[in-house]
Amino acid sequence: MRADTWVFATDERQWAGMLAAVDGLGGRVTAAVVGSRELADAVAATGPDAVLWVEPPPDAPAEAFAPALAAAAEQARPRVLVSTADPAARALLGSACGRLGAALIPGMIDMAAQGDEVIVRRWAIGGEVAETYAVAGPIAAVFAGEDVESAPGRAAEVATLDVPPTDMSVVRSVPTTVATGVNDAARVVAFGRGVQAKGDMALIERLAAALGAEVACSMPIADDLHWMDKARYIGRSGQHIAPALYLAIGIAGAPQHMEGVRDARIVVAINNDPGAPVFRLCPAHVYTEEPDGTLSVAHAACMECGTCLAVAAPGSLTWHYPRGGFGVAFREG
Ligand code: SF4
């Protein structure tokens, strides 16, 4: 079976990863883009079969086109709808999902067509588990997998979709958080409750300045102690960052914190507790040190995150993605 797909893109993040994630569906891929012409052209160059472009007027949010795009999707009746995690793209997806009566799956990593079903792999339990679903009917999914470098291929034609927005407009735009630079920083020095005196923050700040890094923190530092602005805390409900270097000082490494640095290239932890979770790099606890010092490997639990491969000394670990990219598959029902 081939599953025709509509994808929704409204900003300049994730769409290349999203298009790669639906590649295994084999059907016709239509990209509905609400945004600049540059964005529509960039999406078109990445390999969908068609691009429908809506240019919103300056005072109309992308969400204003949700009803019109949902109506267009209803006419086309794709089997699969997918959006990036951008809130506006999710609003477009939700509207089309309702029209098509599709099953909604957030946290999608990738998908493929298999027989009459669409197989969807998605994150669950805050990213600690990868679940695999088999869906028989129409499906809508929010992409949460790895973004990829866009690989220009045959450029699709960009067709302008001249549809009216609903009667809504942006009347005011006021920043609600301090612009910190943490999100885009190549290096981040973060600290947690292991730093016990507020005065020691000066040391952290000096270290960050020497490294050309931004300073960040764990949630309790911002939420409970109010030592730093909330815009600087890293974790599930805070910032999700992808620096080249993340230096974690006095941070235990709870899963909800580590979720915020899942995309960091190198994580260096300083902690006087050798058993702190931050030192367990594998989120699935695949590796266990036996009493005799040898390592046992429970490979069936591997979630294919690639962390061990990224941090292992060159040549010390051989690791291949499973064929088909699905790894361990759990079926519901
Ligand atoms: S890729 Fe490595 S770190 Fe990631 S889950 Fe598998 S074994 Fe653990």
Side-chain angles (χ1 to χ4, degrees):
M1 181 205 72
R2 290 151 46 95
D4 288 348
T5 304
W6 270 42
V7 300
F8 297 95
T10 53
D11 70 3
E12 298 185 9
R13 292 172 298 164
Q14 281 194 310
W15 49 263
M18 172 174 67
L19 283 165
V22 302
D23 206 35
L25 293 169
R28 180 177 171 79
V29 177
T30 300
V33 179
V34 183
S36 67
R37 176 70 197 217
E38 290 74 26
L39 176 61
D41 287 341
V43 172
T46 311
D49 296 290
V51 173
L52 301 175
W53 173 49
V54 177
E55 182 180 26
D59 62 345
E63 293 92 326
F65 294 92
L69 281 175
E74 188 180 27
Q75 278 193 350
R77 297 213 74 79
R79 169 76 179 275
V80 178
L81 304 163
V82 179
S83 78
T84 63
D86 178 63
R90 282 184 285 157
L92 303 181
L93 178 83
S95 193
C97 174
R99 283 274 194 135
L100 268 71
L104 180 60
I105 298 183
M108 183 268 282
I109 304 168
D110 51 31
M111 9 181 34
Q114 187 175 296
D116 290 335
E117 296 174 326
V118 172
I119 308 298
V120 184
R121 204 164 58 107
R122 73 136 192 173
W123 294 118
I125 318 182
E128 292 176 36
V129 173
E131 292 179 332
T132 301
Y133 288 10
V135 184
I139 176 173
V142 180
F143 175 65
E146 294 283 322
D147 202 2
V148 297
E149 290 290 319
S150 57
R154 179 185 53 83
E157 192 177 328
V158 176
T160 303
L161 196 60
D162 191 12
V163 289
T166 53
D167 189 10
M168 64 191 287
S169 59
V170 180
V171 293
R172 192 176 304 119
S173 178
V174 180
T176 56
T177 57
V178 179
T180 64
V182 168
N183 258 314
D184 300 323
R187 300 183 197 99
V188 172
V189 175
F191 68 101
R193 293 297 289 265
V195 174
Q196 292 173 356
K198 191 175 181 184
D200 289 343
M201 281 175 58
L203 282 173
I204 308 278
E205 285 162 356
R206 278 172 51 199
L207 174 61
L211 290 171
E214 286 291 334
V215 178
C217 61
S218 63
M219 187 175 78
I221 297 293
D223 247 14
D224 302 341
L225 299 177
H226 307 293
W227 289 359
M228 300 209 81
D229 190 274
K230 287 186 180 182
R232 286 190 183 267
Y233 87 69
I234 309 298
R236 182 176 299 162
S237 53
Q239 303 293 340
H240 291 230
I241 59 175
L245 172 68
Y246 185 70
L247 182 51
I249 302 174
I251 290 177
Q256 54 269 37
H257 178 82
M258 299 310 288
E259 192 178 327
V261 288
R262 197 166 64 196
D263 295 328
R265 192 150 158 237
I266 296 174
V267 176
V268 177
I270 301 174
N271 199 305
N272 57 12
D273 175 7
V278 71
F279 292 124
R280 290 203 302 264
L281 288 165
C282 172
H285 309 300
V286 165
Y287 303 99
T288 306
E289 186 173 1
E290 302 296 348
D292 64 359
T294 59
L295 275 186
S296 62
V297 182
H299 54 78
C302 175
M303 296 155 50
E304 303 166 33
C305 72
T307 304
C308 55
L309 188 64
V311 302
S316 64
L317 185 65
T318 305
W319 194 99
H320 300 286
Y321 280 95
R323 270 192 212 164
F326 276 85
V328 184
F330 301 97
R331 287 177 61 106
E332 305 296 298

